[in-house]
Amino acid sequence: MNLLLHTCCAPCSVYCIKKLRSEKIEPTLFWYNPNIHPYSEYKARRNCLTEYAKTKEVELVIEDQYGLDEFVCGVLKDVNTSNMDAVQKALLSRCQNYCYPKRLRKVFEYARDNGYDTVSTTLLYSIYQQHDIIKDLMEHLSREFKIDFLYRDFREGWQEGQDEAREVGLYMQKYCGCVFSEEESMLGREIGRKMRKKGISPTNQNVRSVIAKCGPDISASSASARLSNQETF
């Protein structure tokens, strides 16, 4: 088996690498996470993974790409941005409709072009990700690319991996990655959950200018919650 393991960050890779090696499977890590914002956060996670891969003597492929504009416009593709209800709906479904497909398709493309016969992802480790949606998407891409998908429910090792990541001093991020999850984190997990249940996704002041590039100006009043004093960039 020649496994390419999409890797979202160093902490999430800890248990995955250990579990795979216990099965005599040696992964190649693949970094492709253009969703992460701001750039300082992107660099912190990428650099931490680079150093951790060296300490574990595991091969790492870096596919370097960062871009807030592209990510936000991708989330809002084909959305009438003058319609705030449509914008809110797109933001609430951003993970399954854009973020997961964009990143995981890239992994399969790289695997196809570079001789890997099997693909998996550390996204299957996080208890905060949409596990079943990721699994279904990976199965679909596996059929499309005719490359095996190695499924493991890495969540079983969540606490073990978190404890070890802290023990070795890895950078522990406070939110999933994108600008929207960053704001939700700043608002607080509980508030964020309540907002999602009400069909409201936070859209901060700084992102409004980016959204405007994707369509008509939406700077008028909206139903989305905002932090008046948040600094994102």
Side-chain angles (χ1 to χ4, degrees), residues 100 104 108 119-121 123-125 129-143 149-155:
Y100 294 156
L104 297 179
F108 275 90
V119 166
S120 193
T121 176
L123 292 172
L124 295 168
Y125 164 79
Q129 298 295 337
Q130 300 175 52
H131 190 94
D132 291 339
I133 289 174
I134 295 167
K135 181 174 180 287
D136 289 346
L137 176 59
M138 292 291 281
E139 290 172 345
H140 171 79
L141 291 169
S142 174
R143 291 190 295 270
F149 162 46
L150 180 69
Y151 173 70
R152 294 290 185 273
D153 190 346
F154 293 120
R155 293 175 299 180

Side-chain angles (χ1 to χ4, degrees), residues 29 46-47 54 78 94 96 99 102 113 129 133 156 161 164 182 199 213 224 227 232:
L29 309 185
R46 180 199 61 197
N47 295 347
K54 291 177 182 177
D78 300 325
R94 65 185 184 270
Q96 67 184 79
C99 191
K102 180 175 178 63
D113 297 341
Q129 298 295 337
I133 289 174
E156 64 184 17
E164 185 172 336
E182 179 197 25
K213 298 178 183 179
S224 60
L227 296 178
T232 300

Side-chain angles (χ1 to χ4, degrees), residues 188-212:
R189 289 186 185 277
E190 189 58 34
I191 294 176
R193 290 191 188 102
K194 290 179 179 178
M195 293 177 68
R196 282 179 177 275
K197 286 181 179 179
K198 293 180 180 180
I200 301 172
S201 179
T203 308
N204 66 42
Q205 296 280 4
N206 294 318
V207 177
R208 291 166 62 191
S209 63
V210 179
I211 292 177

Side-chain angles (χ1 to χ4, degrees), residues 4 21-22 38-39 42 48 57 60 70 72 83 96 98 118 131 149 151-152 169 176 185-186 189 196-197 207 214 230:
L4 187 66
R21 283 179 166 174
S22 74
Y39 187 58
Y42 176 91
C48 179
E57 297 183 333
L60 169 64
E70 181 181 353
V72 173
N83 182 339
Q96 67 184 79
Y98 182 74
T118 309
H131 190 94
F149 162 46
Y151 173 70
R152 294 290 185 273
C176 181
S185 176
M186 294 184 72
R189 289 186 185 277
R196 282 179 177 275
K197 286 181 179 179
V207 177
C214 307
Q230 180 180 343

Side-chain angles (χ1 to χ4, degrees), residues 12-31:
C12 286
S13 75
V14 172
Y15 179 79
C16 299
I17 295 171
K18 178 184 291 187
K19 172 66 174 175
L20 292 169
R21 283 179 166 174
S22 74
E23 300 177 25
K24 309 301 182 185
I25 300 172
E26 185 61 29
T28 294
L29 309 185
F30 183 75
W31 166 271

Side-chain angles (χ1 to χ4, degrees), residues 82-99:
S82 64
N83 182 339
M84 281 309 304
D85 287 339
V87 171
Q88 295 297 333
K89 184 177 180 180
L91 295 183
L92 288 167
S93 60
R94 65 185 184 270
C95 301
Q96 67 184 79
N97 289 343
Y98 182 74
C99 191

